[in-house]
Tab-separated table of all heavy atoms in Angstrom:
chain	number	residue	atom	x	y	z
Q	116	LYS	N	18.083	25.509	11.248
Q	116	LYS	CA	16.814	25.361	10.527
Q	116	LYS	C	16.372	23.899	10.414
Q	116	LYS	O	15.306	23.613	9.875
Q	116	LYS	CB	16.939	25.958	9.132
Q	116	LYS	CG	17.225	27.435	9.136
Q	116	LYS	CD	17.395	27.964	7.744
Q	116	LYS	CE	17.750	29.433	7.785
Q	116	LYS	NZ	17.980	29.972	6.453
Q	117	MET	N	17.183	22.996	10.922
Q	117	MET	CA	16.912	21.569	10.768
Q	117	MET	C	15.631	21.137	11.480
Q	117	MET	O	14.867	20.322	10.950
Q	117	MET	CB	18.094	20.763	11.314
Q	117	MET	CG	18.175	19.373	10.808
Q	117	MET	SD	18.586	19.246	9.061
Q	117	MET	CE	20.280	19.708	9.042
Q	118	THR	N	15.359	21.692	12.660
Q	118	THR	CA	14.162	21.314	13.412
Q	118	THR	C	12.902	21.715	12.665
Q	118	THR	O	11.950	20.926	12.556
Q	118	THR	CB	14.179	21.971	14.800
Q	118	THR	OG1	15.401	21.630	15.451
Q	118	THR	CG2	13.023	21.499	15.644
Q	119	ASN	N	12.887	22.929	12.132
Q	119	ASN	CA	11.718	23.386	11.377
Q	119	ASN	C	11.528	22.546	10.109
Q	119	ASN	O	10.404	22.195	9.746
Q	119	ASN	CB	11.858	24.860	11.003
Q	119	ASN	CG	11.773	25.772	12.204
Q	119	ASN	OD1	11.187	25.408	13.220
Q	119	ASN	ND2	12.378	26.944	12.100
Q	120	ALA	N	12.622	22.216	9.448
Q	120	ALA	CA	12.534	21.418	8.227
Q	120	ALA	C	12.005	20.014	8.523
Q	120	ALA	O	11.175	19.483	7.778
Q	120	ALA	CB	13.903	21.332	7.559
Q	121	ALA	N	12.458	19.418	9.612
Q	121	ALA	CA	11.975	18.085	9.975
Q	121	ALA	C	10.485	18.127	10.314
Q	121	ALA	O	9.734	17.211	9.953
Q	121	ALA	CB	12.772	17.545	11.159
Q	122	GLY	N	10.055	19.185	10.964
Q	122	GLY	CA	8.630	19.332	11.285
Q	122	GLY	C	7.780	19.491	10.037
Q	122	GLY	O	6.719	18.864	9.910
Q	123	ILE	N	8.241	20.314	9.104
Q	123	ILE	CA	7.494	20.509	7.852
Q	123	ILE	C	7.482	19.222	7.038
Q	123	ILE	O	6.462	18.853	6.452
Q	123	ILE	CB	8.098	21.681	7.046
Q	123	ILE	CG1	7.819	22.996	7.769
Q	123	ILE	CG2	7.556	21.715	5.629
Q	123	ILE	CD1	8.539	24.182	7.196
Q	124	GLN	N	8.606	18.537	7.027
Q	124	GLN	CA	8.675	17.269	6.291
Q	124	GLN	C	7.710	16.243	6.884
Q	124	GLN	O	7.000	15.549	6.155
Q	124	GLN	CB	10.107	16.749	6.333
Q	124	GLN	CG	10.345	15.544	5.482
Q	124	GLN	CD	11.792	15.117	5.543
Q	124	GLN	OE1	12.403	15.121	6.600
Q	124	GLN	NE2	12.336	14.746	4.403
Q	125	SER	N	7.650	16.152	8.184
Q	125	SER	CA	6.725	15.230	8.839
Q	125	SER	C	5.275	15.614	8.556
Q	125	SER	O	4.427	14.740	8.298
Q	125	SER	CB	6.981	15.234	10.343
Q	125	SER	OG	6.085	14.389	11.002
Q	126	LEU	N	4.982	16.906	8.567
Q	126	LEU	CA	3.635	17.378	8.251
Q	126	LEU	C	3.240	16.992	6.832
Q	126	LEU	O	2.139	16.480	6.588
Q	126	LEU	CB	3.551	18.899	8.425
Q	126	LEU	CG	2.251	19.557	7.988
Q	126	LEU	CD1	1.127	19.197	8.943
Q	126	LEU	CD2	2.422	21.056	7.882
Q	127	LEU	N	4.137	17.213	5.879
Q	127	LEU	CA	3.841	16.867	4.488
Q	127	LEU	C	3.669	15.365	4.293
Q	127	LEU	O	2.824	14.921	3.506
Q	127	LEU	CB	4.935	17.408	3.567
Q	127	LEU	CG	4.983	18.939	3.433
Q	127	LEU	CD1	6.173	19.364	2.602
Q	127	LEU	CD2	3.696	19.462	2.834
Q	128	LYS	N	4.464	14.562	4.995
Q	128	LYS	CA	4.306	13.110	4.908
Q	128	LYS	C	2.936	12.683	5.423
Q	128	LYS	O	2.257	11.856	4.806
Q	128	LYS	CB	5.394	12.398	5.719
Q	128	LYS	CG	6.740	12.378	5.068
Q	128	LYS	CD	7.731	11.656	5.969
Q	128	LYS	CE	9.121	11.677	5.404
Q	128	LYS	NZ	10.088	11.006	6.287
Q	129	ASN	N	2.522	13.244	6.556
Q	129	ASN	CA	1.220	12.874	7.116
Q	129	ASN	C	0.072	13.348	6.241
Q	129	ASN	O	-0.907	12.616	6.048
Q	129	ASN	CB	1.074	13.437	8.529
Q	129	ASN	CG	1.931	12.695	9.526
Q	129	ASN	OD1	2.209	11.510	9.359
Q	129	ASN	ND2	2.366	13.381	10.555
Q	130	ILE	N	0.171	14.543	5.702
Q	130	ILE	CA	-0.884	15.051	4.823
Q	130	ILE	C	-0.979	14.213	3.558
Q	130	ILE	O	-2.064	13.830	3.121
Q	130	ILE	CB	-0.644	16.536	4.481
Q	130	ILE	CG1	-0.922	17.401	5.708
Q	130	ILE	CG2	-1.512	16.983	3.311
Q	130	ILE	CD1	-0.551	18.860	5.535
Q	131	SER	N	0.162	13.901	2.961
Q	131	SER	CA	0.122	13.103	1.726
Q	131	SER	C	-0.376	11.694	2.000
Q	131	SER	O	-1.087	11.111	1.173
Q	131	SER	CB	1.492	13.086	1.058
Q	131	SER	OG	2.445	12.469	1.901
Q	132	GLY	N	-0.031	11.119	3.138
Q	132	GLY	CA	-0.559	9.804	3.487
Q	132	GLY	C	-2.065	9.830	3.658
Q	132	GLY	O	-2.774	8.928	3.203
Q	133	ALA	N	-2.583	10.876	4.299
Q	133	ALA	CA	-4.032	11.001	4.469
Q	133	ALA	C	-4.721	11.202	3.122
Q	133	ALA	O	-5.798	10.634	2.873
Q	133	ALA	CB	-4.343	12.169	5.403
Q	134	ILE	N	-4.118	11.984	2.252
Q	134	ILE	CA	-4.699	12.186	0.919
Q	134	ILE	C	-4.705	10.868	0.146
Q	134	ILE	O	-5.691	10.509	-0.507
Q	134	ILE	CB	-3.929	13.282	0.147
Q	134	ILE	CG1	-4.215	14.649	0.768
Q	134	ILE	CG2	-4.280	13.277	-1.333
Q	134	ILE	CD1	-3.334	15.769	0.249
Side-chain angles (χ1 to χ4, degrees):
K116 298 178 183 178
M117 200 69 72
T118 305
N119 291 336
I123 291 171
Q124 187 178 42
S125 178
L126 174 71
L127 291 175
K128 284 180 183 179
N129 287 331
I130 288 173
S131 63
I134 289 170

